[in-house]
Amino acid sequence: QAKAELERCRSKLEEVLSSEALSRASSSNALGDIMKLQSALEESAKNHEIQDAEFKQTKAELEQVKAELEKHRAEVASLSQQSDSQSQELEQAKAELEKHRAEVASLTQQSGSQSQVLEQAKAE
């Protein structure tokens, strides 16, 4: 009977040892999985930092381009205003030229009339 009891205890011990070995193997696998997840998280965080830095750089470049665009817009507005002023000056100069032409034509006509009168006076 002691022999049977001993055999039963041995069987129980083997079962416990086998269960413990399975538990250790499972824990080892879980630890490996945890290490892989930690490595993946670290890699993801590193990628996020890189993307964040790239985003900040791109944002700074965009702000610089916006500033340059505003500068060019101001230059275009200034040139447009200058062009408008020059167009007005040109129109005024044309009007003044036309006025002088009319005066010259009138003076030429008067001179022609006076020449005729002088010629008639000489003829008489």
PDB file of all heavy atoms in Angstrom, residues 40-65:
ATOM      1  N   ALA A  40       9.089  47.392 -30.644  1.00  0.00           N
ATOM      2  CA  ALA A  40       8.224  47.999 -31.658  1.00  0.00           C
ATOM      3  C   ALA A  40       7.735  49.372 -31.191  1.00  0.00           C
ATOM      4  O   ALA A  40       7.683  50.321 -31.988  1.00  0.00           O
ATOM      5  CB  ALA A  40       7.034  47.088 -31.962  1.00  0.00           C
ATOM      6  N   LEU A  41       7.394  49.492 -29.907  1.00  0.00           N
ATOM      7  CA  LEU A  41       6.956  50.785 -29.374  1.00  0.00           C
ATOM      8  C   LEU A  41       8.084  51.815 -29.419  1.00  0.00           C
ATOM      9  O   LEU A  41       7.854  52.979 -29.760  1.00  0.00           O
ATOM     10  CB  LEU A  41       6.469  50.634 -27.928  1.00  0.00           C
ATOM     11  CG  LEU A  41       5.064  50.055 -27.754  1.00  0.00           C
ATOM     12  CD1 LEU A  41       4.784  49.784 -26.281  1.00  0.00           C
ATOM     13  CD2 LEU A  41       4.017  50.991 -28.322  1.00  0.00           C
ATOM     14  N   GLU A  42       9.297  51.393 -29.079  1.00  0.00           N
ATOM     15  CA  GLU A  42      10.437  52.307 -29.137  1.00  0.00           C
ATOM     16  C   GLU A  42      10.685  52.765 -30.572  1.00  0.00           C
ATOM     17  O   GLU A  42      10.954  53.943 -30.822  1.00  0.00           O
ATOM     18  CB  GLU A  42      11.687  51.634 -28.553  1.00  0.00           C
ATOM     19  CG  GLU A  42      11.633  51.472 -27.046  1.00  0.00           C
ATOM     20  CD  GLU A  42      12.768  50.621 -26.496  1.00  0.00           C
ATOM     21  OE1 GLU A  42      13.568  50.076 -27.283  1.00  0.00           O
ATOM     22  OE2 GLU A  42      12.849  50.493 -25.258  1.00  0.00           O
ATOM     23  N   GLU A  43      10.597  51.836 -31.520  1.00  0.00           N
ATOM     24  CA  GLU A  43      10.786  52.170 -32.933  1.00  0.00           C
ATOM     25  C   GLU A  43       9.697  53.135 -33.403  1.00  0.00           C
ATOM     26  O   GLU A  43       9.961  54.108 -34.110  1.00  0.00           O
ATOM     27  CB  GLU A  43      10.767  50.894 -33.779  1.00  0.00           C
ATOM     28  CG  GLU A  43      11.071  51.113 -35.241  1.00  0.00           C
ATOM     29  CD  GLU A  43      12.517  51.517 -35.496  1.00  0.00           C
ATOM     30  OE1 GLU A  43      13.396  51.216 -34.696  1.00  0.00           O
ATOM     31  OE2 GLU A  43      12.742  52.150 -36.543  1.00  0.00           O
ATOM     32  N   SER A  44       8.466  52.867 -32.968  1.00  0.00           N
ATOM     33  CA  SER A  44       7.345  53.740 -33.326  1.00  0.00           C
ATOM     34  C   SER A  44       7.547  55.140 -32.742  1.00  0.00           C
ATOM     35  O   SER A  44       7.291  56.143 -33.422  1.00  0.00           O
ATOM     36  CB  SER A  44       6.041  53.133 -32.815  1.00  0.00           C
ATOM     37  OG  SER A  44       4.959  53.980 -33.088  1.00  0.00           O
ATOM     38  N   ALA A  45       8.007  55.216 -31.507  1.00  0.00           N
ATOM     39  CA  ALA A  45       8.249  56.521 -30.882  1.00  0.00           C
ATOM     40  C   ALA A  45       9.354  57.266 -31.626  1.00  0.00           C
ATOM     41  O   ALA A  45       9.255  58.476 -31.851  1.00  0.00           O
ATOM     42  CB  ALA A  45       8.630  56.336 -29.414  1.00  0.00           C
ATOM     43  N   LYS A  46      10.388  56.549 -32.024  1.00  0.00           N
ATOM     44  CA  LYS A  46      11.486  57.171 -32.774  1.00  0.00           C
ATOM     45  C   LYS A  46      10.973  57.703 -34.112  1.00  0.00           C
ATOM     46  O   LYS A  46      11.285  58.819 -34.508  1.00  0.00           O
ATOM     47  CB  LYS A  46      12.589  56.122 -33.018  1.00  0.00           C
ATOM     48  CG  LYS A  46      13.916  56.699 -33.428  1.00  0.00           C
ATOM     49  CD  LYS A  46      14.966  55.618 -33.687  1.00  0.00           C
ATOM     50  CE  LYS A  46      15.220  54.790 -32.458  1.00  0.00           C
ATOM     51  NZ  LYS A  46      16.235  53.757 -32.687  1.00  0.00           N
ATOM     52  N   ASN A  47      10.150  56.895 -34.800  1.00  0.00           N
ATOM     53  CA  ASN A  47       9.568  57.337 -36.075  1.00  0.00           C
ATOM     54  C   ASN A  47       8.683  58.557 -35.876  1.00  0.00           C
ATOM     55  O   ASN A  47       8.669  59.479 -36.701  1.00  0.00           O
ATOM     56  CB  ASN A  47       8.768  56.204 -36.722  1.00  0.00           C
ATOM     57  CG  ASN A  47       9.650  55.119 -37.293  1.00  0.00           C
ATOM     58  OD1 ASN A  47      10.829  55.327 -37.546  1.00  0.00           O
ATOM     59  ND2 ASN A  47       9.097  53.936 -37.465  1.00  0.00           N
ATOM     60  N   HIS A  48       7.925  58.558 -34.770  1.00  0.00           N
ATOM     61  CA  HIS A  48       7.055  59.694 -34.473  1.00  0.00           C
ATOM     62  C   HIS A  48       7.885  60.960 -34.259  1.00  0.00           C
ATOM     63  O   HIS A  48       7.523  62.040 -34.747  1.00  0.00           O
ATOM     64  CB  HIS A  48       6.200  59.401 -33.239  1.00  0.00           C
ATOM     65  CG  HIS A  48       5.287  60.520 -32.866  1.00  0.00           C
ATOM     66  ND1 HIS A  48       4.179  60.853 -33.604  1.00  0.00           N
ATOM     67  CD2 HIS A  48       5.337  61.407 -31.839  1.00  0.00           C
ATOM     68  CE1 HIS A  48       3.574  61.892 -33.048  1.00  0.00           C
ATOM     69  NE2 HIS A  48       4.262  62.238 -31.973  1.00  0.00           N
ATOM     70  N   GLU A  49       8.992  60.837 -33.535  1.00  0.00           N
ATOM     71  CA  GLU A  49       9.867  61.992 -33.300  1.00  0.00           C
ATOM     72  C   GLU A  49      10.417  62.518 -34.623  1.00  0.00           C
ATOM     73  O   GLU A  49      10.478  63.731 -34.846  1.00  0.00           O
ATOM     74  CB  GLU A  49      11.018  61.611 -32.365  1.00  0.00           C
ATOM     75  CG  GLU A  49      10.594  61.420 -30.921  1.00  0.00           C
ATOM     76  CD  GLU A  49      11.737  60.933 -30.036  1.00  0.00           C
ATOM     77  OE1 GLU A  49      12.908  60.993 -30.456  1.00  0.00           O
ATOM     78  OE2 GLU A  49      11.449  60.483 -28.917  1.00  0.00           O
ATOM     79  N   ILE A  50      10.823  61.598 -35.505  1.00  0.00           N
ATOM     80  CA  ILE A  50      11.347  61.992 -36.817  1.00  0.00           C
ATOM     81  C   ILE A  50      10.267  62.716 -37.608  1.00  0.00           C
ATOM     82  O   ILE A  50      10.509  63.782 -38.188  1.00  0.00           O
ATOM     83  CB  ILE A  50      11.887  60.771 -37.586  1.00  0.00           C
ATOM     84  CG1 ILE A  50      13.158  60.240 -36.914  1.00  0.00           C
ATOM     85  CG2 ILE A  50      12.153  61.106 -39.042  1.00  0.00           C
ATOM     86  CD1 ILE A  50      13.623  58.890 -37.440  1.00  0.00           C
ATOM     87  N   GLN A  51       9.060  62.144 -37.626  1.00  0.00           N
ATOM     88  CA  GLN A  51       7.955  62.762 -38.359  1.00  0.00           C
ATOM     89  C   GLN A  51       7.601  64.128 -37.767  1.00  0.00           C
ATOM     90  O   GLN A  51       7.303  65.074 -38.499  1.00  0.00           O
ATOM     91  CB  GLN A  51       6.726  61.852 -38.344  1.00  0.00           C
ATOM     92  CG  GLN A  51       6.885  60.619 -39.213  1.00  0.00           C
ATOM     93  CD  GLN A  51       5.714  59.660 -39.084  1.00  0.00           C
ATOM     94  OE1 GLN A  51       4.907  59.763 -38.170  1.00  0.00           O
ATOM     95  NE2 GLN A  51       5.629  58.716 -40.004  1.00  0.00           N
ATOM     96  N   ASP A  52       7.656  64.234 -36.445  1.00  0.00           N
ATOM     97  CA  ASP A  52       7.357  65.509 -35.789  1.00  0.00           C
ATOM     98  C   ASP A  52       8.391  66.559 -36.183  1.00  0.00           C
ATOM     99  O   ASP A  52       8.034  67.701 -36.487  1.00  0.00           O
ATOM    100  CB  ASP A  52       7.337  65.310 -34.266  1.00  0.00           C
ATOM    101  CG  ASP A  52       6.798  66.525 -33.538  1.00  0.00           C
ATOM    102  OD1 ASP A  52       5.745  67.052 -33.958  1.00  0.00           O
ATOM    103  OD2 ASP A  52       7.429  66.939 -32.544  1.00  0.00           O
ATOM    104  N   ALA A  53       9.659  66.167 -36.199  1.00  0.00           N
ATOM    105  CA  ALA A  53      10.722  67.103 -36.599  1.00  0.00           C
ATOM    106  C   ALA A  53      10.546  67.517 -38.057  1.00  0.00           C
ATOM    107  O   ALA A  53      10.692  68.701 -38.399  1.00  0.00           O
ATOM    108  CB  ALA A  53      12.090  66.460 -36.388  1.00  0.00           C
ATOM    109  N   GLU A  54      10.217  66.554 -38.925  1.00  0.00           N
ATOM    110  CA  GLU A  54       9.990  66.863 -40.339  1.00  0.00           C
ATOM    111  C   GLU A  54       8.795  67.799 -40.494  1.00  0.00           C
ATOM    112  O   GLU A  54       8.818  68.727 -41.304  1.00  0.00           O
ATOM    113  CB  GLU A  54       9.773  65.588 -41.147  1.00  0.00           C
ATOM    114  CG  GLU A  54      11.023  64.752 -41.321  1.00  0.00           C
ATOM    115  CD  GLU A  54      10.757  63.396 -41.973  1.00  0.00           C
ATOM    116  OE1 GLU A  54       9.579  62.996 -42.101  1.00  0.00           O
ATOM    117  OE2 GLU A  54      11.741  62.735 -42.338  1.00  0.00           O
ATOM    118  N   PHE A  55       7.753  67.566 -39.720  1.00  0.00           N
ATOM    119  CA  PHE A  55       6.561  68.421 -39.766  1.00  0.00           C
ATOM    120  C   PHE A  55       6.916  69.847 -39.363  1.00  0.00           C
ATOM    121  O   PHE A  55       6.518  70.813 -40.022  1.00  0.00           O
ATOM    122  CB  PHE A  55       5.466  67.861 -38.846  1.00  0.00           C
ATOM    123  CG  PHE A  55       4.275  68.768 -38.712  1.00  0.00           C
ATOM    124  CD1 PHE A  55       3.332  68.837 -39.722  1.00  0.00           C
ATOM    125  CD2 PHE A  55       4.101  69.560 -37.585  1.00  0.00           C
ATOM    126  CE1 PHE A  55       2.239  69.679 -39.619  1.00  0.00           C
ATOM    127  CE2 PHE A  55       3.016  70.404 -37.472  1.00  0.00           C
ATOM    128  CZ  PHE A  55       2.080  70.461 -38.486  1.00  0.00           C
ATOM    129  N   LYS A  56       7.688  69.981 -38.274  1.00  0.00           N
ATOM    130  CA  LYS A  56       8.076  71.316 -37.809  1.00  0.00           C
ATOM    131  C   LYS A  56       8.939  72.018 -38.855  1.00  0.00           C
ATOM    132  O   LYS A  56       8.774  73.215 -39.092  1.00  0.00           O
ATOM    133  CB  LYS A  56       8.816  71.216 -36.480  1.00  0.00           C
ATOM    134  CG  LYS A  56       7.894  70.893 -35.317  1.00  0.00           C
ATOM    135  CD  LYS A  56       8.643  70.735 -34.019  1.00  0.00           C
ATOM    136  CE  LYS A  56       7.676  70.384 -32.882  1.00  0.00           C
ATOM    137  NZ  LYS A  56       8.370  70.112 -31.632  1.00  0.00           N
ATOM    138  N   GLN A  57       9.843  71.276 -39.486  1.00  0.00           N
ATOM    139  CA  GLN A  57      10.695  71.869 -40.521  1.00  0.00           C
ATOM    140  C   GLN A  57       9.845  72.315 -41.708  1.00  0.00           C
ATOM    141  O   GLN A  57      10.008  73.415 -42.231  1.00  0.00           O
ATOM    142  CB  GLN A  57      11.756  70.871 -40.974  1.00  0.00           C
ATOM    143  CG  GLN A  57      12.688  71.432 -42.033  1.00  0.00           C
ATOM    144  CD  GLN A  57      13.734  70.427 -42.471  1.00  0.00           C
ATOM    145  OE1 GLN A  57      13.843  69.337 -41.936  1.00  0.00           O
ATOM    146  NE2 GLN A  57      14.514  70.799 -43.469  1.00  0.00           N
ATOM    147  N   THR A  58       8.918  71.464 -42.133  1.00  0.00           N
ATOM    148  CA  THR A  58       8.034  71.794 -43.256  1.00  0.00           C
ATOM    149  C   THR A  58       7.178  73.014 -42.918  1.00  0.00           C
ATOM    150  O   THR A  58       6.977  73.900 -43.757  1.00  0.00           O
ATOM    151  CB  THR A  58       7.131  70.590 -43.602  1.00  0.00           C
ATOM    152  OG1 THR A  58       7.967  69.474 -43.927  1.00  0.00           O
ATOM    153  CG2 THR A  58       6.225  70.887 -44.773  1.00  0.00           C
ATOM    154  N   LYS A  59       6.701  73.081 -41.684  1.00  0.00           N
ATOM    155  CA  LYS A  59       5.881  74.213 -41.251  1.00  0.00           C
ATOM    156  C   LYS A  59       6.702  75.499 -41.292  1.00  0.00           C
ATOM    157  O   LYS A  59       6.216  76.540 -41.756  1.00  0.00           O
ATOM    158  CB  LYS A  59       5.342  73.966 -39.845  1.00  0.00           C
ATOM    159  CG  LYS A  59       4.369  75.011 -39.375  1.00  0.00           C
ATOM    160  CD  LYS A  59       3.795  74.661 -38.018  1.00  0.00           C
ATOM    161  CE  LYS A  59       2.845  75.745 -37.552  1.00  0.00           C
ATOM    162  NZ  LYS A  59       2.328  75.494 -36.217  1.00  0.00           N
ATOM    163  N   ALA A  60       7.955  75.422 -40.833  1.00  0.00           N
ATOM    164  CA  ALA A  60       8.827  76.608 -40.859  1.00  0.00           C
ATOM    165  C   ALA A  60       9.087  77.049 -42.302  1.00  0.00           C
ATOM    166  O   ALA A  60       9.066  78.246 -42.611  1.00  0.00           O
ATOM    167  CB  ALA A  60      10.147  76.307 -40.153  1.00  0.00           C
ATOM    168  N   GLU A  61       9.320  76.081 -43.186  1.00  0.00           N
ATOM    169  CA  GLU A  61       9.539  76.405 -44.600  1.00  0.00           C
ATOM    170  C   GLU A  61       8.291  77.045 -45.197  1.00  0.00           C
ATOM    171  O   GLU A  61       8.385  77.995 -45.982  1.00  0.00           O
ATOM    172  CB  GLU A  61       9.921  75.145 -45.384  1.00  0.00           C
ATOM    173  CG  GLU A  61      11.311  74.621 -45.048  1.00  0.00           C
ATOM    174  CD  GLU A  61      11.605  73.255 -45.666  1.00  0.00           C
ATOM    175  OE1 GLU A  61      10.716  72.678 -46.323  1.00  0.00           O
ATOM    176  OE2 GLU A  61      12.726  72.764 -45.467  1.00  0.00           O
ATOM    177  N   LEU A  62       7.131  76.538 -44.841  1.00  0.00           N
ATOM    178  CA  LEU A  62       5.870  77.100 -45.332  1.00  0.00           C
ATOM    179  C   LEU A  62       5.699  78.543 -44.862  1.00  0.00           C
ATOM    180  O   LEU A  62       5.298  79.413 -45.643  1.00  0.00           O
ATOM    181  CB  LEU A  62       4.686  76.249 -44.860  1.00  0.00           C
ATOM    182  CG  LEU A  62       3.301  76.742 -45.243  1.00  0.00           C
ATOM    183  CD1 LEU A  62       3.136  76.789 -46.763  1.00  0.00           C
ATOM    184  CD2 LEU A  62       2.223  75.858 -44.633  1.00  0.00           C
ATOM    185  N   GLU A  63       6.031  78.813 -43.608  1.00  0.00           N
ATOM    186  CA  GLU A  63       5.935  80.175 -43.094  1.00  0.00           C
ATOM    187  C   GLU A  63       6.888  81.099 -43.852  1.00  0.00           C
ATOM    188  O   GLU A  63       6.537  82.241 -44.154  1.00  0.00           O
ATOM    189  CB  GLU A  63       6.247  80.206 -41.586  1.00  0.00           C
ATOM    190  CG  GLU A  63       5.191  79.553 -40.719  1.00  0.00           C
ATOM    191  CD  GLU A  63       3.814  80.152 -40.862  1.00  0.00           C
ATOM    192  OE1 GLU A  63       3.694  81.394 -40.957  1.00  0.00           O
ATOM    193  OE2 GLU A  63       2.831  79.386 -40.895  1.00  0.00           O
ATOM    194  N   GLN A  64       8.068  80.596 -44.176  1.00  0.00           N
ATOM    195  CA  GLN A  64       9.040  81.396 -44.935  1.00  0.00           C
ATOM    196  C   GLN A  64       8.491  81.702 -46.335  1.00  0.00           C
ATOM    197  O   GLN A  64       8.586  82.832 -46.818  1.00  0.00           O
ATOM    198  CB  GLN A  64      10.370  80.647 -45.033  1.00  0.00           C
ATOM    199  CG  GLN A  64      11.457  81.439 -45.716  1.00  0.00           C
ATOM    200  CD  GLN A  64      12.778  80.685 -45.753  1.00  0.00           C
ATOM    201  OE1 GLN A  64      12.893  79.578 -45.253  1.00  0.00           O
ATOM    202  NE2 GLN A  64      13.765  81.295 -46.363  1.00  0.00           N
ATOM    203  N   VAL A  65       7.900  80.694 -46.972  1.00  0.00           N
ATOM    204  CA  VAL A  65       7.327  80.888 -48.312  1.00  0.00           C
ATOM    205  C   VAL A  65       6.167  81.886 -48.243  1.00  0.00           C
ATOM    206  O   VAL A  65       6.036  82.750 -49.113  1.00  0.00           O
ATOM    207  CB  VAL A  65       6.865  79.535 -48.907  1.00  0.00           C
ATOM    208  CG1 VAL A  65       6.019  79.740 -50.148  1.00  0.00           C
ATOM    209  CG2 VAL A  65       8.081  78.669 -49.237  1.00  0.00           C
TER     210      VAL A  65
END
